[in-house]
Amino acid sequence: MDKDFLKKFVNIKRETKAMINIDPLQAGGKLTDEARQALVEWGDGFSVCDFCPGRLEGIKKPPIYDFVHQALPDFIGADVVHLTHGAREGKFLIMHALAQPNDFIIIDKSAHYTTYVAAERAGLKIKVVENSGYPEFKINVDDYEKAINEIQNEGKGKIALLVLTYPDGNYGNLPDAKKLATISQKYKIPFLLNTAYAVGRMPINMNETGADFIVASGHKSMASSGPIGFVGMKKEWDEVLFKKSQYFAKKEVGILGCVSRGTAIMTLMASFPSVVERIKEWPKQVEKAQWFSRQLEKQGLKQLGEKPHNHDLMFFEAEKLYEISKTHKGGAFFLYKELKKNNIWGIKPGLTKNFKLSTFAANKEELQKVVDVFASLLD
Amino acid sequence: MDKDFLKKFVNIKRETKAMINIDPLQAGGKLTDEARQALVEWGDGFSVCDFCPGRLEGIKKPPIYDFVHQALPDFIGADVVHLTHGAREGKFLIMHALAQPNDFIIIDKSAHYTTYVAAERAGLKIKVVENSGYPEFKINVDDYEKAINEIQNEGKGKIALLVLTYPDGNYGNLPDAKKLATISQKYKIPFLLNTAYAVGRMPINMNETGADFIVASGHKSMASSGPIGFVGMKKEWDEVLFKKSQYFAKKEVGILGCVSRGTAIMTLMASFPSVVERIKEWPKQVEKAQWFSRQLEKQGLKQLGEKPHNHDLMFFEAEKLYEISKTHKGGAFFLYKELKKNNIWGIKPGLTKNFKLSTFAANKEELQKVVDVFASLLD
């Protein structure tokens, strides 16, 4: 293999590392210093398995056992927690274990694409509950009951699962999860709450909500390297989802024995005490998000999604920026380029009229700079 | 949550980091310096997604696209490569996409436990081809033909896949993969070669072997942090395994859109030029393994598995050590403890009579030290 070709894979710098980051995907996944240390200490392949008793979640040194069996269930208010490669893998795990091909799941219109794809991989039919459309795009969870009745009355098939995205990744809306739990209980259909953008950012308690399952993401919202996440559940689901192999008594079929046999579990653990602290600051995060929204609205942008807004994920409509892009020499890329020039990262290249962002990682001073750059462009 | 309890998850040191490592699971996964740099640079969650065009394998900066579409297929002689979380996830991906529940797969007796568990998760029936038993435990691939005939003649069901472990993780045996490829072609049954302990250690060319699929492991054998691996395949299987979602045109159902959205892909890439170089040294690795085997056999231990041995993974039977353990104050743990005291890591605690190890990571001087410790214990 050509040596010059091979050089391109080595010594690659991440140019955005020190920038103000408002990328919704990245704002909750920036490592703490403690996680960065763990990364180096436990980087070698299979290093967490030094003292493995036969399954990853049973390892007591490093204390993965305590983390998975005590810290995480306590943190999210679930009876049982198991590690996954991420929220999407958690969703597929639940759907594949719970449902038969051609069963239905009912999901919200604002669901992440991986909810669709996980259902597709499990061979399931998808019934979508619409949102309220422009400008708030809210989910009315009563519509799940209508969807249940429609499927059941028409004898279309079994409904295996209700899924609600909390919040959704576009608008950052927080629908009424508790109410959907009562509907799920009334119809005895299990209920999965997708909290990839919630657990690690804001307080969440699965049992208080009344959901059967919860999925979370380490790299999205828990200051962890990826890929890692977990599923939380009511106790009775543990043996359905995590039944042991008929061939190997210690190994769980649904996770192929062990999941996160690498560094990410160590970064997730190392950041955990900081994450426990940071969710206490959630009211301040919401206040900061609302302040930022007001600043951009003062300049003529329009924040879509719930108002007043209750999450750091936000979607903006910016007709004026779109108008500017039509004549700007940077064209559709002018906003991206101007922000980058000002050390701001996270709005996708080519977008001007509609874009999403997160205020989670940036402090108020940094967000003021973002506001100022928008002001200068709109001036 | 109690602060003293939370402290245990932070600042955890890996005590075995600087030891001579003969653990089969870890010997091929130790990071290169280049990978260690990549780990730090790309540790933040979702950092590889800075310039994402909609799918991970399409990312050109960092050059994941070139790595997956050009470097890896070239390296393993496959038409197409896709990333997975590891070899086991690759096996499940193939089985789940290819087979229907209750189809058969035929596997070798020496298969890794995850081959069984992946088949179980996909709802498949497993037919096992026995090995030759003590002392060599060799797989005669002609027995796959007998197994095929038995299932087909008795009308038991469809055979979806043949799986061969190359080498197996216990004895380090290398069965006749080319011959099994001709059998697979004769019966038109796809053939998967599990090379978790081969790719990255020794030269492998899937197309020359004639297999349809190959699975490999980054953290096991490619000097990478985990979890990461990949599947290689003949072109015609790409659209079966990686069909696009009916809902999202860019997203592949079998991998839920994107797989390795984290640091591991960066360590796999950063180590790759070194891995390309190290497989050229494979004859020296084999010579080193054979030398080590001879040294231990001189002391009365017996190497099981193929002889002369052709892989760094080896299994030893040590009747004498077992006898010593009966009266030693350390009991069954004496071997583990004595090795550890001498800075040697990798033989499981509690084993004396039978154990496996790898000579891959240790150099000859280090292995001489291992030999000397065994000599001192047997003296």
Side-chain angles (χ1 to χ4, degrees):
Chain A
M1 222 172 283
D2 183 63
K3 284 205 175 166
D4 280 333
F5 172 68
L6 290 176
K7 271 184 196 159
K8 72 162 72 179
F9 302 121
V10 179
N11 199 20
I12 307 169
K13 296 294 173 203
R14 184 178 176 213
E15 64 172 288
T16 65
K17 206 169 57 167
M19 294 169 83
I20 296 170
N21 197 318
I22 54 171
D23 186 337
L25 208 58
Q26 298 177 333
K30 194 169 177 179
L31 298 187
T32 59
D33 290 342
E34 293 78 12
R36 224 169 285 276
Q37 283 169 22
L39 200 57
V40 177
E41 187 72 16
W42 299 87
D44 291 329
F46 274 121
S47 59
V48 297
C49 308
D50 276 346
F51 301 98
C52 177
R55 43 193 292 281
L56 181 89
E57 293 180 352
I59 294 172
K60 296 202 169 166
K61 187 181 170 181
I64 298 173
Y65 180 89
D66 290 345
F67 185 65
V68 173
H69 293 87
Q70 190 175 345
L72 288 180
D74 190 13
F75 183 60
I76 59 160
D79 299 339
V80 179
V81 162
H82 289 287
L83 298 172
T84 64
H85 290 303
R88 66 187 70 186
E89 286 85 355
K91 286 184 280 189
F92 175 69
L93 168 65
I94 294 165
M95 293 177 194
H96 184 253
L98 224 63
Q100 297 298 320
N102 294 316
D103 284 354
F104 275 88
I105 60 165
I106 304 177
I107 72 175
D108 56 293
K109 175 74 175 175
S110 310
H112 193 250
Y113 85 84
T114 56
T115 303
Y116 288 84
V117 177
E120 205 174 348
R121 191 179 184 200
L124 309 186
K125 290 178 184 159
I126 300 172
K127 171 83 179 169
V128 177
V129 166
E130 295 296 322
N131 59 36
S132 62
Y134 186 91
E136 286 204 293
F137 301 95
K138 287 170 86 160
I139 296 293
N140 178 357
V141 297
D142 288 329
D143 293 341
Y144 278 77
E145 189 159 12
K146 289 181 202 156
I148 293 169
N149 287 328
E150 193 187 309
I151 295 168
Q152 290 187 340
N153 293 344
E154 296 180 17
K156 285 180 175 173
K158 189 190 156 199
I159 305 166
L161 190 69
L162 312 178
V163 185
L164 183 67
T165 318
Y166 189 90
D168 67 284
N170 275 325
Y171 305 104
N173 287 349
L174 291 163
D176 192 341
K178 278 192 185 180
K179 197 174 186 185
L180 185 51
T182 63
I183 295 171
S184 104
Q185 283 146 18
K186 179 176 166 190
Y187 289 89
K188 295 189 170 51
I189 304 168
F191 165 31
L192 160 62
L193 199 59
N194 176 9
T195 60
Y197 282 110
V199 167
R201 295 164 114 101
M202 59 188 280
I204 292 282
N205 187 299
M206 192 197 86
N207 280 336
E208 276 177 23
T209 304
D212 293 85
F213 303 103
I214 195 169
V215 293
S217 168
H219 43 278
K220 235 174 196 169
S221 298
M222 296 183 77
S224 177
S225 192
I228 195 162
F230 53 87
V231 299
M233 69 199 78
K234 288 183 182 163
K235 205 178 167 188
E236 58 262 39
W237 294 114
D238 195 16
E239 61 186 28
V240 179
L241 262 69
F242 291 87
K243 67 167 197 229
K244 298 288 200 294
S245 167
Q246 59 178 296
Y247 306 106
F248 297 88
K250 281 185 181 179
K251 309 294 188 180
E252 287 144 345
V253 177
I255 51 169
L256 303 173
C258 296
V259 177
S260 195
R261 48 211 189 277
T263 332
I265 177 61
M266 298 307 296
T267 60
L268 187 67
M269 288 205 296
S271 282
F272 185 66
S274 304
V275 167
V276 169
E277 285 305 305
R278 83 182 187 187
I279 66 162
K280 294 178 188 164
E281 305 293 311
W282 182 243
K284 287 186 193 164
Q285 284 285 356
V286 173
E287 185 278 326
K288 190 173 70 174
Q290 291 180 355
W291 169 83
F292 183 81
S293 171
R294 285 195 303 274
Q295 303 311 307
L296 289 202
E297 293 218 322
K298 277 182 199 164
Q299 297 178 33
L301 280 73
K302 185 177 165 79
Q303 183 231 306
L304 307 185
E306 285 174 349
K307 268 180 169 170
H309 206 62
N310 297 306
H311 198 276
D312 59 274
L313 285 185
M314 275 179 286
F315 192 101
F316 287 93
E317 183 180 47
E319 202 60 54
K320 276 195 201 170
L321 289 170
Y322 175 61
E323 289 304 319
I324 294 169
S325 75
K326 287 179 178 172
T327 55
H328 197 285
K329 67 174 167 32
F333 290 83
F334 96 99
L335 177 61
Y336 168 76
K337 285 179 179 168
E338 290 293 329
L339 289 169
K340 200 171 165 193
K341 206 165 68 186
N342 284 281
N343 211 37
I344 296 160
W345 181 258
I347 291 178
K348 280 197 192 305
L351 300 184
T352 55
K353 197 177 183 177
N354 291 290
F355 49 83
K356 50 185 183 175
L357 55 79
S358 162
T359 54
F360 190 77
N363 61 32
K364 212 155 174 180
E365 196 181 342
E366 291 168 328
L367 291 176
Q368 182 63 56
K369 189 176 168 187
V370 179
V371 170
D372 292 345
V373 173
F374 274 97
S376 72
L377 296 175
L378 290 158
D379 194 21
Chain B
M1 221 171 283
D2 183 63
K3 283 205 175 165
D4 280 332
F5 171 68
L6 290 175
K7 270 184 196 158
K8 72 162 73 178
F9 302 121
V10 179
N11 199 21
I12 308 169
K13 296 294 172 201
R14 184 179 175 212
E15 64 172 289
T16 66
K17 206 169 59 168
M19 294 168 84
I20 297 171
N21 197 318
I22 55 171
D23 185 337
L25 208 58
Q26 297 177 335
K30 194 171 177 177
L31 298 187
T32 58
D33 291 342
E34 292 78 10
R36 225 168 285 276
Q37 283 169 25
L39 201 57
V40 177
E41 187 72 16
W42 298 88
D44 291 329
F46 275 122
S47 60
V48 297
C49 307
D50 277 346
F51 301 97
C52 177
R55 43 191 293 280
L56 181 89
E57 293 180 352
I59 294 172
K60 296 202 170 166
K61 187 181 172 183
I64 298 173
Y65 180 90
D66 290 345
F67 185 65
V68 172
H69 293 87
Q70 189 174 346
L72 288 179
D74 191 13
F75 183 59
I76 58 161
D79 299 340
V80 178
V81 162
H82 289 288
L83 299 173
T84 64
H85 290 303
R88 67 187 69 186
E89 286 85 354
K91 287 185 280 190
F92 175 69
L93 168 65
I94 294 165
M95 293 177 195
H96 184 253
L98 225 63
Q100 295 298 320
N102 294 316
D103 283 355
F104 275 88
I105 60 164
I106 304 178
I107 71 174
D108 56 292
K109 176 74 177 177
S110 310
H112 193 251
Y113 85 83
T114 55
T115 303
Y116 288 84
V117 177
E120 206 174 347
R121 190 180 186 201
L124 308 185
K125 290 177 183 160
I126 300 173
K127 170 84 179 169
V128 177
V129 166
E130 295 296 323
N131 59 36
S132 62
Y134 186 92
E136 287 205 292
F137 301 94
K138 287 171 86 160
I139 296 294
N140 178 356
V141 298
D142 288 330
D143 293 340
Y144 278 77
E145 189 158 13
K146 290 180 202 156
I148 293 168
N149 287 328
E150 193 187 310
I151 295 168
Q152 290 187 339
N153 293 344
E154 296 179 17
K156 285 181 175 172
K158 189 189 156 198
I159 305 166
L161 191 69
L162 311 177
V163 186
L164 184 67
T165 318
Y166 188 90
D168 68 283
N170 275 325
Y171 305 104
N173 287 348
L174 291 163
D176 193 342
K178 276 192 186 180
K179 198 173 187 186
L180 185 51
T182 63
I183 294 171
S184 104
Q185 282 147 18
K186 180 175 165 190
Y187 290 90
K188 296 189 171 50
I189 304 169
F191 166 30
L192 160 62
L193 199 60
N194 176 8
T195 60
Y197 283 110
V199 167
R201 293 165 116 101
M202 58 188 281
I204 291 283
N205 187 299
M206 192 197 87
N207 280 336
E208 276 177 21
T209 305
D212 293 84
F213 303 102
I214 196 169
V215 292
S217 168
H219 43 280
K220 234 174 198 171
S221 299
M222 296 184 77
S224 177
S225 192
I228 195 162
F230 53 86
V231 298
M233 70 200 79
K234 288 183 182 162
K235 204 178 169 189
E236 58 262 39
W237 294 114
D238 195 15
E239 61 186 27
V240 179
L241 262 68
F242 291 87
K243 68 165 197 235
K244 297 287 201 293
S245 166
Q246 59 178 296
Y247 307 105
F248 297 88
K250 281 186 181 179
K251 309 293 186 181
E252 287 144 345
V253 177
I255 51 169
L256 303 173
C258 296
V259 177
S260 196
R261 47 210 189 278
T263 332
I265 177 62
M266 298 308 295
T267 61
L268 186 69
M269 289 205 296
S271 282
F272 185 66
S274 303
V275 166
V276 169
E277 283 305 304
R278 83 183 188 186
I279 66 162
K280 294 178 187 163
E281 304 293 312
W282 182 243
K284 287 186 194 164
Q285 284 284 357
V286 172
E287 186 277 325
K288 190 173 69 175
Q290 291 180 355
W291 168 83
F292 183 81
S293 171
R294 284 195 304 276
Q295 303 311 306
L296 289 201
E297 292 218 323
K298 277 184 200 163
Q299 298 178 33
L301 280 74
K302 185 175 164 79
Q303 183 232 306
L304 306 185
E306 284 173 351
K307 269 180 167 170
H309 205 62
N310 297 305
H311 197 274
D312 60 274
L313 284 186
M314 275 179 286
F315 192 102
F316 287 93
E317 182 181 46
E319 202 62 53
K320 277 196 203 170
L321 289 170
Y322 176 59
E323 289 304 319
I324 294 169
S325 76
K326 288 179 179 172
T327 55
H328 197 286
K329 68 175 167 33
F333 289 84
F334 96 100
L335 177 60
Y336 168 76
K337 284 180 179 169
E338 290 293 329
L339 289 169
K340 201 171 164 192
K341 206 163 70 186
N342 283 283
N343 211 36
I344 296 160
W345 181 257
I347 291 178
K348 279 197 194 302
L351 299 184
T352 54
K353 198 175 184 177
N354 291 290
F355 51 82
K356 51 185 183 173
L357 55 78
S358 162
T359 54
F360 190 77
N363 62 33
K364 213 156 174 179
E365 197 181 342
E366 291 169 327
L367 291 176
Q368 182 63 57
K369 189 175 169 187
V370 179
V371 170
D372 293 344
V373 173
F374 273 98
S376 72
L377 296 175
L378 290 160
D379 197 19

